[in-house]
Amino acid sequence: MKISAAKSTATLLTTWTAEMRLPLNILVDGALIPTTNYPKILGVTFDSMFKSSAQATAICNKIRSRNKVLKSLAGSTWGADKETLLTTYNAIGRSVVSYAAPAWSAKVSASQWKKIQTCQNAALRTATGCLLMTPVDHLHEEAKVLPVRQHNKMLSMQYLLVCYRSEHPCHDLMDRLPPSRHVRRDLHDLETEVQRYKREQLDQRAYQAGLNRIHTNMVAQAVRRYSVNAVLGNHPPSIAAEERQLPRQTRVVLAQLRSGRCSRLNSYWARIDAKIPNICPACGLGPHDTLHLFNCPANPTHLSPHSLWTQPVQVAELLSLDTEELDN
């Protein structure tokens, strides 16, 4: 193998801050190889002190730029539907977060996860049309998307499971993991959890069953951790498929109403401008929130807040929202 000096860098991996900035005197064909603290290898940015901030920053920068693509495809009153936007985000945004997840996820701090999660929240708000004050848990339930930390943990566990297969290149390394004092405890915790899905004979059938169990359990754990919906006071049901026939603008209003934060409600505007009374313009009662729409004396109905999920078309008709695309 012939080393190219122009394409090479040198990095000193250390836990001692005094060594971090030391230049390495490494020559290749008489040329000095530059020393870097943040080498990028196959798309992953590493850190000479085994930290994850550089990789997290690189991910955030990429997602922010690609979120602009989503905004150019959607608006609250026009553009692509929610499913198309979520598919686009999975292709150009979430793929960045999940790329090589087992290589770096175990080293990410809580503060760095929060930054990455904030970028995903922005993408989900664009796709659903929800407002900035919308609870984050509602965004994930509305979009059926896992939080980034749970999603990457699931991918890491699935990767560790495949490493137990005898034909996998990393199979021999599973019995020689570094001591917990040399790496973040998260890696050893993941390895312990994966043991629950491992069988002595991990053939293709058992491996596929293990992958499915990991996915099912991680989704169930995430859903249990979500806070209850502010409108229902409980975890919401799935949204009826018939909503996909409605126009983008109508679906955005319904999504906002399901969150309890809607730009058509005076309960929202009263928080922004104290001069706006939080009362219903039709009956003069308040507060003018999602629950009031189904109990307004001026517009009686047999529907309930639960109907926002189970009967979105009927709710749209009740609120005189556009249902034009139903006839197309």
Side-chain angles (χ1 to χ4, degrees), residues 87-291:
T87 300
T88 304
Y89 168 66
N90 287 332
I92 67 175
R94 197 169 199 188
S95 59
V96 174
V97 180
S98 59
Y99 175 74
W104 57 269
S105 293
K107 303 190 296 294
V108 179
S109 63
S111 60
Q112 299 299 332
W113 278 124
K114 185 176 180 180
K115 293 179 181 179
I116 300 174
Q117 182 62 60
T118 299
C119 295
Q120 175 166 286
N121 295 344
L124 298 185
R125 281 195 296 270
T126 299
T128 61
C130 288
L131 303 172
L132 184 62
M133 63 174 63
T134 301
V136 175
D137 289 343
H138 174 77
L139 291 175
H140 289 95
E141 290 192 302
E142 188 80 15
K144 299 298 181 184
V145 172
L146 284 176
V148 290
R149 187 168 189 174
Q150 282 75 15
H151 184 254
N152 278 28
K153 180 180 179 181
M154 178 186 70
L155 295 178
S156 299
M157 291 176 64
Q158 290 176 332
Y159 175 76
L160 286 175
L161 180 65
V162 73
C163 289
Y164 281 108
R165 300 197 67 181
S166 58
E167 63 269 25
H168 196 274
C170 295
H171 175 72
D172 294 336
L173 299 177
M174 297 308 295
D175 296 327
R176 294 183 283 137
L177 285 176
S180 58
R181 66 180 182 274
H182 291 157
V183 296
R184 283 184 63 90
R185 185 64 196 170
D186 297 1
L187 178 61
H188 289 267
D189 292 342
L190 284 180
E191 197 271 339
T192 301
E193 290 190 48
V194 171
Q195 292 290 337
R196 297 161 43 197
Y197 307 95
K198 172 178 168 290
R199 297 181 181 177
E200 292 185 5
Q201 297 296 328
L202 195 62
D203 55 15
Q204 181 62 32
R205 184 175 180 180
Y207 165 63
Q208 190 62 48
L211 291 181
N212 295 337
R213 288 173 57 202
I214 291 174
H215 178 272
T216 300
N217 291 341
M218 290 301 299
V219 171
Q221 289 178 20
V223 171
R224 285 196 299 268
R225 291 173 183 172
Y226 291 156
S227 57
V228 298
N229 183 269
V231 174
L232 297 180
N234 205 339
H235 293 290
S238 298
I239 302 172
E242 64 180 19
E243 191 197 80
R244 299 188 180 186
Q245 306 172 48
L246 295 171
R248 162 80 177 168
Q249 182 178 7
T250 300
R251 297 187 66 185
V252 166
V253 174
L254 294 176
Q256 292 182 3
L257 290 173
R258 286 191 286 262
S259 72
R261 307 285 192 272
C262 181
S263 58
R264 291 199 172 202
L265 298 174
N266 283 339
S267 59
Y268 167 75
W269 292 108
R271 296 180 60 173
I272 299 175
D273 187 353
K275 297 179 181 178
I276 300 177
N278 185 11
I279 59 174
C280 175
C283 67
L285 300 177
H288 188 225
D289 54 15
T290 301
L291 295 177

Side-chain angles (χ1 to χ4, degrees), residues 39-46 99:
K40 188 174 182 179
I41 303 175
L42 297 178
V44 178
T45 304
F46 293 88
Y99 175 74

